[in-house]
Amino acid sequence: MKKFACLLAALLLATLFAACGNDDGASGAGSQPGGDTSAPASAVSGGESAQPAASDNTLVMATNAFFEPYEYYEGDDIVGIDAEVGKAIADKLGMDFSISDVDFDAIIPNVQSGKATMGMAGMTVTPDREKNVSFTRSYSTGIQVVIVPEGSDIASLDDMEGKMIGVQQGTTGDIYCSDTPENGGFGEENVTRYNKGSDAVMALLSGKVDCVVIDNEPAKAFVAANEGLKILDTAYAEEQYAICVAKDNQEMLEKIDTALGELIDDGTVQEIVDKYITAE
Ligand code: ARG
């Protein structure tokens, strides 16, 4: 489906404009296996049971922690690139740090309501999201890819027409795929949404969906951790990941963006990325 690719390209351009002037602090590819997809649906890093409130002293990062290598569970702890960069930002600002694991589509509402200080979740900057929250500079890039079972008859985007596509609810993969064919999507009726990316992959493994559209690094981690899956060999749109902050919290946006800029410039972000993503 060439329209899909065109739409992705258009979105890429819009995103690039939106992120114009931003640094890209990450690169590389590859992944580590072993994502724990059976972790609790909601938890807070460090084993605390109650969700801490964002305050002057505590930087609360809202995320959705089934997205290795950006955020995922290791036992009860949430680790990953976002978890570590978020902690480094809090350290720079002299704030305590805590992570709140919520559904992906609850991240922006949590940030808007002040429950979380910032949202950091391998979140793509899109013009629509920019209407609701402010974004920092970009710290990493992502690409939407398609995971299929080995031996699938889906070999290209065109082959996805009429197939059932699994996505994580509210992600850019969901937004692209569930759009109408006239707009380059595959239509709502061909998309099944899951709360977690890992649930979409489980559905693929059990044959409930024919493919999964998700970001490239988590896709690599899922494929490495589960036998019988592969990623389609087609280049798609590149997206920019950034941290979101409430529109009415300009002061915090500037603080976080400045801290992030320093961490990119002094190589800390790259060091963290290299720890989780091994170059091919
Ligand atoms: N990059 C995609 C988006 O922004 C997917 C992000 C999903 N992140 C997560 N932590 N589950 O829509």
Side-chain angles (χ1 to χ4, degrees), residues 133-269:
V133 282
S134 303
F135 282 96
T136 60
R137 73 195 68 200
S138 171
Y139 62 92
S140 193
T141 55
I143 302 171
Q144 294 299 311
V145 297
V146 184
I147 310 178
V148 294
E150 272 164 17
S152 164
D153 56 358
I154 302 176
S156 72
L157 291 175
D158 293 311
D159 302 332
M160 286 165 64
E161 259 170 281
K163 300 283 189 189
M164 186 51 78
I165 306 165
V167 296
Q168 182 180 18
Q169 166 111 10
T171 58
T172 45
D174 177 8
I175 296 163
Y176 305 149
C177 292
S178 51
D179 210 338
T180 57
E182 299 77 62
N183 286 329
F186 296 92
E188 290 270 344
E189 67 284 7
N190 291 308
V191 173
T192 307
R193 301 184 170 97
Y194 296 90
N195 268 342
K196 302 178 227 155
S198 48
D199 290 344
V201 173
M202 290 308 134
L204 181 63
L205 286 167
S206 64
K208 290 200 185 90
V209 297
D210 300 306
C211 60
V212 166
V213 173
I214 197 162
D215 305 49
N216 58 329
E217 289 302 337
K220 285 181 195 166
F222 285 131
V223 167
N226 297 283
E227 277 190 20
L229 300 178
K230 64 173 187 185
I231 296 170
L232 282 194
D233 201 14
T234 315
Y236 299 153
E238 193 174 284
E239 304 177 329
Q240 295 300 321
Y241 294 167
I243 301 171
C244 69
V245 178
K247 277 211 178 290
D248 61 5
N249 203 351
Q250 193 61 30
E251 197 189 324
M252 189 47 81
L253 173 72
E254 274 160 30
K255 279 191 191 170
I256 292 172
D257 185 57
T258 303
L260 176 62
E262 288 170 13
L263 293 166
I264 290 172
D265 290 346
D266 73 7
T268 306
V269 169

Side-chain angles (χ1 to χ4, degrees), residues 64 67 71 104 121-124 129 168 171-172 215 239 241:
N64 177 256
F67 203 67
E71 42 267 329
F104 183 76
M123 187 183 279
T124 305
R129 289 174 184 163
Q168 182 180 18
T171 58
T172 45
D215 305 49
E239 304 177 329
Y241 294 167

